[in-house]
PDB file of all heavy atoms in Angstrom:
ATOM      1  N   PHE A 263     118.026  99.665 109.857  1.00 81.00           N
ATOM      2  CA  PHE A 263     116.681 100.220 109.728  1.00 81.00           C
ATOM      3  C   PHE A 263     115.621  99.132 109.880  1.00 81.00           C
ATOM      4  O   PHE A 263     114.591  99.333 110.538  1.00 81.00           O
ATOM      5  CB  PHE A 263     116.545 100.911 108.368  1.00 81.00           C
ATOM      6  CG  PHE A 263     115.216 101.574 108.156  1.00 81.00           C
ATOM      7  CD1 PHE A 263     114.919 102.776 108.769  1.00 81.00           C
ATOM      8  CD2 PHE A 263     114.252 100.996 107.351  1.00 81.00           C
ATOM      9  CE1 PHE A 263     113.697 103.387 108.586  1.00 81.00           C
ATOM     10  CE2 PHE A 263     113.021 101.589 107.162  1.00 81.00           C
ATOM     11  CZ  PHE A 263     112.742 102.800 107.779  1.00 81.00           C
ATOM     12  N   LEU A 264     115.858  97.972 109.304  1.00 79.00           N
ATOM     13  CA  LEU A 264     114.907  96.867 109.434  1.00 79.00           C
ATOM     14  C   LEU A 264     114.790  96.412 110.885  1.00 79.00           C
ATOM     15  O   LEU A 264     113.687  96.131 111.371  1.00 79.00           O
ATOM     16  CB  LEU A 264     115.342  95.703 108.545  1.00 79.00           C
ATOM     17  CG  LEU A 264     114.963  95.799 107.058  1.00 79.00           C
ATOM     18  CD1 LEU A 264     115.570  94.643 106.287  1.00 79.00           C
ATOM     19  CD2 LEU A 264     113.457  95.795 106.892  1.00 79.00           C
ATOM     20  N   PHE A 265     115.905  96.311 111.585  1.00 80.00           N
ATOM     21  CA  PHE A 265     115.860  95.914 112.992  1.00 80.00           C
ATOM     22  C   PHE A 265     115.066  96.925 113.813  1.00 80.00           C
ATOM     23  O   PHE A 265     114.261  96.547 114.677  1.00 80.00           O
ATOM     24  CB  PHE A 265     117.276  95.774 113.551  1.00 80.00           C
ATOM     25  CG  PHE A 265     117.860  94.408 113.365  1.00 80.00           C
ATOM     26  CD1 PHE A 265     118.813  94.169 112.392  1.00 80.00           C
ATOM     27  CD2 PHE A 265     117.451  93.345 114.158  1.00 80.00           C
ATOM     28  CE1 PHE A 265     119.349  92.905 112.215  1.00 80.00           C
ATOM     29  CE2 PHE A 265     117.985  92.086 113.990  1.00 80.00           C
ATOM     30  CZ  PHE A 265     118.932  91.857 113.013  1.00 80.00           C
ATOM     31  N   VAL A 266     115.271  98.220 113.563  1.00 77.00           N
ATOM     32  CA  VAL A 266     114.556  99.248 114.313  1.00 77.00           C
ATOM     33  C   VAL A 266     113.065  99.189 114.018  1.00 77.00           C
ATOM     34  O   VAL A 266     112.225  99.279 114.929  1.00 77.00           O
ATOM     35  CB  VAL A 266     115.133 100.637 113.974  1.00 77.00           C
ATOM     36  CG1 VAL A 266     114.273 101.733 114.588  1.00 77.00           C
ATOM     37  CG2 VAL A 266     116.562 100.760 114.471  1.00 77.00           C
ATOM     38  N   VAL A 267     112.693  99.035 112.751  1.00 76.00           N
ATOM     39  CA  VAL A 267     111.276  98.982 112.380  1.00 76.00           C
ATOM     40  C   VAL A 267     110.607  97.756 112.982  1.00 76.00           C
ATOM     41  O   VAL A 267     109.471  97.815 113.473  1.00 76.00           O
ATOM     42  CB  VAL A 267     111.133  99.002 110.849  1.00 76.00           C
ATOM     43  CG1 VAL A 267     109.696  98.709 110.440  1.00 76.00           C
ATOM     44  CG2 VAL A 267     111.558 100.349 110.303  1.00 76.00           C
ATOM     45  N   MET A 268     111.294  96.608 112.964  1.00 75.00           N
ATOM     46  CA  MET A 268     110.697  95.389 113.495  1.00 75.00           C
ATOM     47  C   MET A 268     110.583  95.419 115.021  1.00 75.00           C
ATOM     48  O   MET A 268     109.666  94.814 115.592  1.00 75.00           O
ATOM     49  CB  MET A 268     111.532  94.177 113.064  1.00 75.00           C
ATOM     50  CG  MET A 268     111.460  93.872 111.585  1.00 75.00           C
ATOM     51  SD  MET A 268     112.477  92.446 111.141  1.00 75.00           S
ATOM     52  CE  MET A 268     112.196  92.370 109.374  1.00 75.00           C
ATOM     53  N   MET A 269     111.492  96.091 115.699  1.00 75.00           N
ATOM     54  CA  MET A 269     111.462  96.117 117.156  1.00 75.00           C
ATOM     55  C   MET A 269     110.479  97.138 117.703  1.00 75.00           C
ATOM     56  O   MET A 269     110.018  97.002 118.839  1.00 75.00           O
ATOM     57  CB  MET A 269     112.865  96.405 117.705  1.00 75.00           C
ATOM     58  CG  MET A 269     113.875  95.300 117.456  1.00 75.00           C
ATOM     59  SD  MET A 269     115.530  95.730 118.009  1.00 75.00           S
ATOM     60  CE  MET A 269     115.275  95.901 119.769  1.00 75.00           C
ATOM     61  N   LEU A 270     110.153  98.177 116.921  1.00 72.00           N
ATOM     62  CA  LEU A 270     109.231  99.204 117.396  1.00 72.00           C
ATOM     63  C   LEU A 270     107.793  98.756 117.189  1.00 72.00           C
ATOM     64  O   LEU A 270     107.468  98.050 116.240  1.00 72.00           O
ATOM     65  CB  LEU A 270     109.470 100.521 116.646  1.00 72.00           C
ATOM     66  CG  LEU A 270     110.810 101.218 116.904  1.00 72.00           C
ATOM     67  CD1 LEU A 270     110.911 102.474 116.076  1.00 72.00           C
ATOM     68  CD2 LEU A 270     110.967 101.557 118.378  1.00 72.00           C
ATOM     69  N   ASP A 271     106.938  99.189 118.083  1.00 65.00           N
ATOM     70  CA  ASP A 271     105.501  98.915 117.972  1.00 65.00           C
ATOM     71  C   ASP A 271     104.865 100.066 117.195  1.00 65.00           C
ATOM     72  O   ASP A 271     104.435 101.074 117.770  1.00 65.00           O
ATOM     73  CB  ASP A 271     104.887  98.777 119.364  1.00 65.00           C
ATOM     74  CG  ASP A 271     103.447  98.301 119.287  1.00 65.00           C
ATOM     75  OD1 ASP A 271     103.025  97.886 118.183  1.00 65.00           O
ATOM     76  OD2 ASP A 271     102.757  98.347 120.319  1.00 65.00           O
ATOM     77  N   ILE A 272     104.809  99.923 115.882  1.00 66.00           N
ATOM     78  CA  ILE A 272     104.349 100.998 115.013  1.00 66.00           C
ATOM     79  C   ILE A 272     102.838 100.875 114.807  1.00 66.00           C
ATOM     80  O   ILE A 272     102.326  99.793 114.516  1.00 66.00           O
ATOM     81  CB  ILE A 272     105.080 100.966 113.660  1.00 66.00           C
ATOM     82  CG1 ILE A 272     106.586 101.127 113.881  1.00 66.00           C
ATOM     83  CG2 ILE A 272     104.563 102.062 112.743  1.00 66.00           C
ATOM     84  CD1 ILE A 272     107.392 101.011 112.620  1.00 66.00           C
ATOM     85  N   ASN A 273     102.149 101.974 114.957  1.00 67.00           N
ATOM     86  CA  ASN A 273     100.712 102.031 114.695  1.00 67.00           C
ATOM     87  C   ASN A 273     100.516 102.399 113.225  1.00 67.00           C
ATOM     88  O   ASN A 273     100.720 103.544 112.815  1.00 67.00           O
ATOM     89  CB  ASN A 273     100.044 103.066 115.609  1.00 67.00           C
ATOM     90  CG  ASN A 273      98.541 102.979 115.564  1.00 67.00           C
ATOM     91  OD1 ASN A 273      97.967 102.272 114.720  1.00 67.00           O
ATOM     92  ND2 ASN A 273      97.885 103.678 116.464  1.00 67.00           N
ATOM     93  N   PHE A 274     100.129 101.420 112.423  1.00 64.00           N
ATOM     94  CA  PHE A 274     100.004 101.649 110.986  1.00 64.00           C
ATOM     95  C   PHE A 274      98.822 102.561 110.650  1.00 64.00           C
ATOM     96  O   PHE A 274      98.826 103.213 109.610  1.00 64.00           O
ATOM     97  CB  PHE A 274      99.856 100.313 110.259  1.00 64.00           C
ATOM     98  CG  PHE A 274     101.059  99.426 110.405  1.00 64.00           C
ATOM     99  CD1 PHE A 274     101.041  98.341 111.264  1.00 64.00           C
ATOM    100  CD2 PHE A 274     102.213  99.679 109.700  1.00 64.00           C
ATOM    101  CE1 PHE A 274     102.146  97.530 111.403  1.00 64.00           C
ATOM    102  CE2 PHE A 274     103.329  98.874 109.831  1.00 64.00           C
ATOM    103  CZ  PHE A 274     103.293  97.790 110.684  1.00 64.00           C
ATOM    104  N   ASP A 275      97.815 102.607 111.504  1.00 66.00           N
ATOM    105  CA  ASP A 275      96.679 103.484 111.242  1.00 66.00           C
ATOM    106  C   ASP A 275      97.089 104.953 111.291  1.00 66.00           C
ATOM    107  O   ASP A 275      96.645 105.775 110.478  1.00 66.00           O
ATOM    108  CB  ASP A 275      95.572 103.219 112.258  1.00 66.00           C
ATOM    109  CG  ASP A 275      94.994 101.814 112.108  1.00 66.00           C
ATOM    110  OD1 ASP A 275      95.030 101.279 110.974  1.00 66.00           O
ATOM    111  OD2 ASP A 275      94.525 101.252 113.114  1.00 66.00           O
ATOM    112  N   LYS A 276      97.952 105.297 112.255  1.00 69.00           N
ATOM    113  CA  LYS A 276      98.427 106.676 112.334  1.00 69.00           C
ATOM    114  C   LYS A 276      99.348 107.025 111.167  1.00 69.00           C
ATOM    115  O   LYS A 276      99.408 108.177 110.733  1.00 69.00           O
ATOM    116  CB  LYS A 276      99.157 106.905 113.657  1.00 69.00           C
ATOM    117  CG  LYS A 276      98.234 106.870 114.870  1.00 69.00           C
ATOM    118  CD  LYS A 276      99.006 107.212 116.139  1.00 69.00           C
ATOM    119  CE  LYS A 276      98.073 107.231 117.343  1.00 69.00           C
ATOM    120  NZ  LYS A 276      98.791 107.572 118.604  1.00 69.00           N
ATOM    121  N   LEU A 277     100.077 106.024 110.668  1.00 65.00           N
ATOM    122  CA  LEU A 277     100.943 106.291 109.528  1.00 65.00           C
ATOM    123  C   LEU A 277     100.142 106.593 108.270  1.00 65.00           C
ATOM    124  O   LEU A 277     100.578 107.375 107.422  1.00 65.00           O
ATOM    125  CB  LEU A 277     101.865 105.087 109.278  1.00 65.00           C
ATOM    126  CG  LEU A 277     102.967 104.837 110.303  1.00 65.00           C
ATOM    127  CD1 LEU A 277     103.740 103.584 109.940  1.00 65.00           C
ATOM    128  CD2 LEU A 277     103.913 106.025 110.387  1.00 65.00           C
ATOM    129  N   ARG A 278      98.989 105.970 108.148  1.00 66.00           N
ATOM    130  CA  ARG A 278      98.167 106.195 106.954  1.00 66.00           C
ATOM    131  C   ARG A 278      97.406 107.507 107.009  1.00 66.00           C
ATOM    132  O   ARG A 278      96.917 107.985 105.977  1.00 66.00           O
ATOM    133  CB  ARG A 278      97.177 105.031 106.789  1.00 66.00           C
ATOM    134  CG  ARG A 278      97.842 103.673 106.592  1.00 66.00           C
ATOM    135  CD  ARG A 278      96.814 102.622 106.226  1.00 66.00           C
ATOM    136  NE  ARG A 278      97.421 101.295 106.166  1.00 66.00           N
ATOM    137  CZ  ARG A 278      97.351 100.396 107.137  1.00 66.00           C
ATOM    138  NH1 ARG A 278      96.677 100.685 108.242  1.00 66.00           N
ATOM    139  NH2 ARG A 278      97.924  99.224 107.010  1.00 66.00           N
ATOM    140  N   GLU A 279      97.296 108.090 108.206  1.00 69.00           N
ATOM    141  CA  GLU A 279      96.589 109.355 108.315  1.00 69.00           C
ATOM    142  C   GLU A 279      97.379 110.484 107.650  1.00 69.00           C
ATOM    143  O   GLU A 279      98.576 110.605 107.815  1.00 69.00           O
ATOM    144  CB  GLU A 279      96.348 109.699 109.791  1.00 69.00           C
ATOM    145  CG  GLU A 279      95.406 108.742 110.494  1.00 69.00           C
ATOM    146  CD  GLU A 279      95.220 109.099 111.952  1.00 69.00           C
ATOM    147  OE1 GLU A 279      95.875 110.076 112.391  1.00 69.00           O
ATOM    148  OE2 GLU A 279      94.440 108.418 112.645  1.00 69.00           O
ATOM    149  N   GLY A 280      96.682 111.311 106.918  1.00 67.00           N
ATOM    150  CA  GLY A 280      97.317 112.431 106.249  1.00 67.00           C
ATOM    151  C   GLY A 280      98.038 112.086 104.970  1.00 67.00           C
ATOM    152  O   GLY A 280      98.778 112.919 104.444  1.00 67.00           O
ATOM    153  N   PHE A 281      97.856 110.843 104.454  1.00 68.00           N
ATOM    154  CA  PHE A 281      98.546 110.468 103.216  1.00 68.00           C
ATOM    155  C   PHE A 281      98.007 111.275 102.038  1.00 68.00           C
ATOM    156  O   PHE A 281      98.781 111.856 101.258  1.00 68.00           O
ATOM    157  CB  PHE A 281      98.368 108.969 102.972  1.00 68.00           C
ATOM    158  CG  PHE A 281      98.998 108.485 101.690  1.00 68.00           C
ATOM    159  CD1 PHE A 281     100.355 108.265 101.609  1.00 68.00           C
ATOM    160  CD2 PHE A 281      98.219 108.271 100.567  1.00 68.00           C
ATOM    161  CE1 PHE A 281     100.946 107.836 100.431  1.00 68.00           C
ATOM    162  CE2 PHE A 281      98.794 107.843  99.381  1.00 68.00           C
ATOM    163  CZ  PHE A 281     100.159 107.620  99.321  1.00 68.00           C
ATOM    164  N   PHE A 282      96.697 111.337 101.889  1.00 73.00           N
ATOM    165  CA  PHE A 282      96.104 112.075 100.775  1.00 73.00           C
ATOM    166  C   PHE A 282      96.147 113.583 101.005  1.00 73.00           C
ATOM    167  O   PHE A 282      96.002 114.353 100.060  1.00 73.00           O
ATOM    168  CB  PHE A 282      94.656 111.620 100.562  1.00 73.00           C
ATOM    169  CG  PHE A 282      94.546 110.197 100.104  1.00 73.00           C
ATOM    170  CD1 PHE A 282      94.244 109.189 101.004  1.00 73.00           C
ATOM    171  CD2 PHE A 282      94.760 109.854  98.777  1.00 73.00           C
ATOM    172  CE1 PHE A 282      94.146 107.872 100.593  1.00 73.00           C
ATOM    173  CE2 PHE A 282      94.662 108.547  98.352  1.00 73.00           C
ATOM    174  CZ  PHE A 282      94.351 107.544  99.260  1.00 73.00           C
ATOM    175  N   LYS A 283      96.361 113.982 102.271  1.00 77.00           N
ATOM    176  CA  LYS A 283      96.432 115.409 102.556  1.00 77.00           C
ATOM    177  C   LYS A 283      97.659 116.045 101.921  1.00 77.00           C
ATOM    178  O   LYS A 283      97.613 117.191 101.446  1.00 77.00           O
ATOM    179  CB  LYS A 283      96.438 115.614 104.076  1.00 77.00           C
ATOM    180  CG  LYS A 283      96.476 117.059 104.512  1.00 77.00           C
ATOM    181  CD  LYS A 283      96.464 117.164 106.026  1.00 77.00           C
ATOM    182  CE  LYS A 283      96.539 118.612 106.484  1.00 77.00           C
ATOM    183  NZ  LYS A 283      96.556 118.715 107.973  1.00 77.00           N
ATOM    184  N   TYR A 284      98.771 115.322 101.926  1.00 76.00           N
ATOM    185  CA  TYR A 284     100.020 115.839 101.363  1.00 76.00           C
ATOM    186  C   TYR A 284     100.351 115.200 100.016  1.00 76.00           C
ATOM    187  O   TYR A 284     101.496 115.286  99.561  1.00 76.00           O
ATOM    188  CB  TYR A 284     101.177 115.594 102.334  1.00 76.00           C
ATOM    189  CG  TYR A 284     100.976 116.236 103.677  1.00 76.00           C
ATOM    190  CD1 TYR A 284     100.524 115.503 104.770  1.00 76.00           C
ATOM    191  CD2 TYR A 284     101.227 117.594 103.867  1.00 76.00           C
ATOM    192  CE1 TYR A 284     100.333 116.086 106.017  1.00 76.00           C
ATOM    193  CE2 TYR A 284     101.043 118.193 105.111  1.00 76.00           C
ATOM    194  CZ  TYR A 284     100.597 117.439 106.173  1.00 76.00           C
ATOM    195  OH  TYR A 284     100.409 118.026 107.394  1.00 76.00           O
ATOM    196  N   LEU A 285      99.372 114.566  99.393  1.00 79.00           N
ATOM    197  CA  LEU A 285      99.628 113.923  98.106  1.00 79.00           C
ATOM    198  C   LEU A 285      99.937 114.937  97.022  1.00 79.00           C
ATOM    199  O   LEU A 285     100.786 114.702  96.158  1.00 79.00           O
ATOM    200  CB  LEU A 285      98.422 113.062  97.715  1.00 79.00           C
ATOM    201  CG  LEU A 285      98.562 112.254  96.424  1.00 79.00           C
ATOM    202  CD1 LEU A 285      99.734 111.292  96.526  1.00 79.00           C
ATOM    203  CD2 LEU A 285      97.273 111.495  96.122  1.00 79.00           C
ATOM    204  N   TRP A 286      99.266 116.074  97.057  1.00 83.00           N
ATOM    205  CA  TRP A 286      99.510 117.090  96.024  1.00 83.00           C
ATOM    206  C   TRP A 286     100.932 117.646  96.095  1.00 83.00           C
ATOM    207  O   TRP A 286     101.566 117.885  95.062  1.00 83.00           O
ATOM    208  CB  TRP A 286      98.504 118.223  96.175  1.00 83.00           C
ATOM    209  CG  TRP A 286      98.614 118.949  97.484  1.00 83.00           C
ATOM    210  CD1 TRP A 286      98.014 118.633  98.659  1.00 83.00           C
ATOM    211  CD2 TRP A 286      99.406 120.108  97.748  1.00 83.00           C
ATOM    212  NE1 TRP A 286      98.360 119.515  99.653  1.00 83.00           N
ATOM    213  CE2 TRP A 286      99.206 120.447  99.129  1.00 83.00           C
ATOM    214  CE3 TRP A 286     100.234 120.905  96.969  1.00 83.00           C
ATOM    215  CZ2 TRP A 286      99.831 121.530  99.721  1.00 83.00           C
ATOM    216  CZ3 TRP A 286     100.861 121.989  97.556  1.00 83.00           C
ATOM    217  CH2 TRP A 286     100.664 122.292  98.921  1.00 83.00           C
ATOM    218  N   LEU A 287     101.432 117.821  97.319  1.00 84.00           N
ATOM    219  CA  LEU A 287     102.804 118.313  97.474  1.00 84.00           C
ATOM    220  C   LEU A 287     103.808 117.274  96.979  1.00 84.00           C
ATOM    221  O   LEU A 287     104.795 117.623  96.303  1.00 84.00           O
ATOM    222  CB  LEU A 287     103.068 118.651  98.939  1.00 84.00           C
ATOM    223  CG  LEU A 287     104.461 119.178  99.291  1.00 84.00           C
ATOM    224  CD1 LEU A 287     104.752 120.465  98.522  1.00 84.00           C
ATOM    225  CD2 LEU A 287     104.592 119.400 100.790  1.00 84.00           C
ATOM    226  N   ALA A 288     103.566 116.005  97.309  1.00 81.00           N
ATOM    227  CA  ALA A 288     104.455 114.949  96.818  1.00 81.00           C
ATOM    228  C   ALA A 288     104.413 114.856  95.296  1.00 81.00           C
ATOM    229  O   ALA A 288     105.448 114.612  94.645  1.00 81.00           O
ATOM    230  CB  ALA A 288     104.059 113.614  97.443  1.00 81.00           C
ATOM    231  N   ALA A 289     103.238 115.057  94.704  1.00 86.00           N
ATOM    232  CA  ALA A 289     103.122 115.009  93.244  1.00 86.00           C
ATOM    233  C   ALA A 289     103.915 116.143  92.592  1.00 86.00           C
ATOM    234  O   ALA A 289     104.591 115.948  91.568  1.00 86.00           O
ATOM    235  CB  ALA A 289     101.659 115.076  92.838  1.00 86.00           C
ATOM    236  N   ILE A 290     103.855 117.332  93.182  1.00 90.00           N
ATOM    237  CA  ILE A 290     104.618 118.465  92.622  1.00 90.00           C
ATOM    238  C   ILE A 290     106.119 118.199  92.705  1.00 90.00           C
ATOM    239  O   ILE A 290     106.863 118.432  91.737  1.00 90.00           O
ATOM    240  CB  ILE A 290     104.243 119.762  93.379  1.00 90.00           C
ATOM    241  CG1 ILE A 290     102.787 120.135  93.091  1.00 90.00           C
ATOM    242  CG2 ILE A 290     105.178 120.894  92.968  1.00 90.00           C
ATOM    243  CD1 ILE A 290     102.318 121.340  93.881  1.00 90.00           C
ATOM    244  N   VAL A 291     106.575 117.712  93.861  1.00 87.00           N
ATOM    245  CA  VAL A 291     108.004 117.409  94.007  1.00 87.00           C
ATOM    246  C   VAL A 291     108.433 116.319  93.025  1.00 87.00           C
ATOM    247  O   VAL A 291     109.505 116.400  92.401  1.00 87.00           O
ATOM    248  CB  VAL A 291     108.303 116.994  95.462  1.00 87.00           C
ATOM    249  CG1 VAL A 291     109.749 116.544  95.606  1.00 87.00           C
ATOM    250  CG2 VAL A 291     108.029 118.156  96.414  1.00 87.00           C
ATOM    251  N   GLY A 292     107.605 115.293  92.859  1.00 84.00           N
ATOM    252  CA  GLY A 292     107.934 114.228  91.914  1.00 84.00           C
ATOM    253  C   GLY A 292     107.997 114.720  90.482  1.00 84.00           C
ATOM    254  O   GLY A 292     108.883 114.321  89.707  1.00 84.00           O
ATOM    255  N   ILE A 293     107.075 115.616  90.094  1.00 89.00           N
ATOM    256  CA  ILE A 293     107.088 116.151  88.725  1.00 89.00           C
ATOM    257  C   ILE A 293     108.324 117.010  88.496  1.00 89.00           C
ATOM    258  O   ILE A 293     108.956 116.956  87.429  1.00 89.00           O
ATOM    259  CB  ILE A 293     105.798 116.955  88.473  1.00 89.00           C
ATOM    260  CG1 ILE A 293     104.585 116.015  88.443  1.00 89.00           C
ATOM    261  CG2 ILE A 293     105.888 117.718  87.162  1.00 89.00           C
ATOM    262  CD1 ILE A 293     103.256 116.742  88.366  1.00 89.00           C
ATOM    263  N   VAL A 294     108.704 117.788  89.500  1.00 90.00           N
ATOM    264  CA  VAL A 294     109.918 118.609  89.368  1.00 90.00           C
ATOM    265  C   VAL A 294     111.158 117.727  89.225  1.00 90.00           C
ATOM    266  O   VAL A 294     112.035 117.978  88.368  1.00 90.00           O
ATOM    267  CB  VAL A 294     110.050 119.549  90.583  1.00 90.00           C
ATOM    268  CG1 VAL A 294     111.405 120.256  90.576  1.00 90.00           C
ATOM    269  CG2 VAL A 294     108.929 120.571  90.583  1.00 90.00           C
ATOM    270  N   MET A 295     111.250 116.664  90.025  1.00 85.00           N
ATOM    271  CA  MET A 295     112.397 115.762  89.921  1.00 85.00           C
ATOM    272  C   MET A 295     112.409 115.052  88.565  1.00 85.00           C
ATOM    273  O   MET A 295     113.482 114.881  87.954  1.00 85.00           O
ATOM    274  CB  MET A 295     112.350 114.742  91.059  1.00 85.00           C
ATOM    275  CG  MET A 295     112.560 115.330  92.436  1.00 85.00           C
ATOM    276  SD  MET A 295     112.382 114.118  93.768  1.00 85.00           S
ATOM    277  CE  MET A 295     113.694 112.970  93.341  1.00 85.00           C
ATOM    278  N   LEU A 296     111.234 114.644  88.089  1.00 83.00           N
ATOM    279  CA  LEU A 296     111.173 114.003  86.772  1.00 83.00           C
ATOM    280  C   LEU A 296     111.598 114.960  85.676  1.00 83.00           C
ATOM    281  O   LEU A 296     112.323 114.575  84.740  1.00 83.00           O
ATOM    282  CB  LEU A 296     109.744 113.498  86.526  1.00 83.00           C
ATOM    283  CG  LEU A 296     109.508 112.780  85.189  1.00 83.00           C
ATOM    284  CD1 LEU A 296     110.379 111.529  85.092  1.00 83.00           C
ATOM    285  CD2 LEU A 296     108.034 112.411  85.040  1.00 83.00           C
ATOM    286  N   GLY A 297     111.183 116.225  85.783  1.00 84.00           N
ATOM    287  CA  GLY A 297     111.603 117.208  84.791  1.00 84.00           C
ATOM    288  C   GLY A 297     113.107 117.437  84.804  1.00 84.00           C
ATOM    289  O   GLY A 297     113.733 117.594  83.742  1.00 84.00           O
ATOM    290  N   GLU A 298     113.704 117.441  85.993  1.00 80.00           N
ATOM    291  CA  GLU A 298     115.165 117.615  86.079  1.00 80.00           C
ATOM    292  C   GLU A 298     115.895 116.437  85.438  1.00 80.00           C
ATOM    293  O   GLU A 298     116.894 116.629  84.721  1.00 80.00           O
ATOM    294  CB  GLU A 298     115.574 117.772  87.540  1.00 80.00           C
ATOM    295  CG  GLU A 298     115.106 119.069  88.175  1.00 80.00           C
ATOM    296  CD  GLU A 298     115.456 119.147  89.634  1.00 80.00           C
ATOM    297  OE1 GLU A 298     115.941 118.118  90.174  1.00 80.00           O
ATOM    298  OE2 GLU A 298     115.261 120.224  90.247  1.00 80.00           O
TER     299      GLU A 298
END
């Protein structure tokens, strides 16, 4: 995985897009896992 990530030309700006858009869904999944 490290070799693949280092060899690819990743656009970090596109990766950061939509982070806060799906934050609520990630928070719900995390709370459910913590409860389990």
Side-chain angles (χ1 to χ4, degrees):
F263 183 76
L264 278 175
F265 272 104
V266 172
V267 170
M268 291 179 181
M269 293 176 64
L270 293 179
D271 188 11
I272 300 176
N273 191 350
F274 297 104
D275 295 332
K276 291 184 178 180
L277 290 178
R278 299 189 186 99
E279 294 179 358
F281 178 79
F282 294 100
K283 181 179 179 181
Y284 301 100
L285 183 60
W286 63 273
L287 180 60
I290 293 176
V291 174
I293 292 173
V294 171
M295 293 176 61
L296 181 61
E298 291 176 353

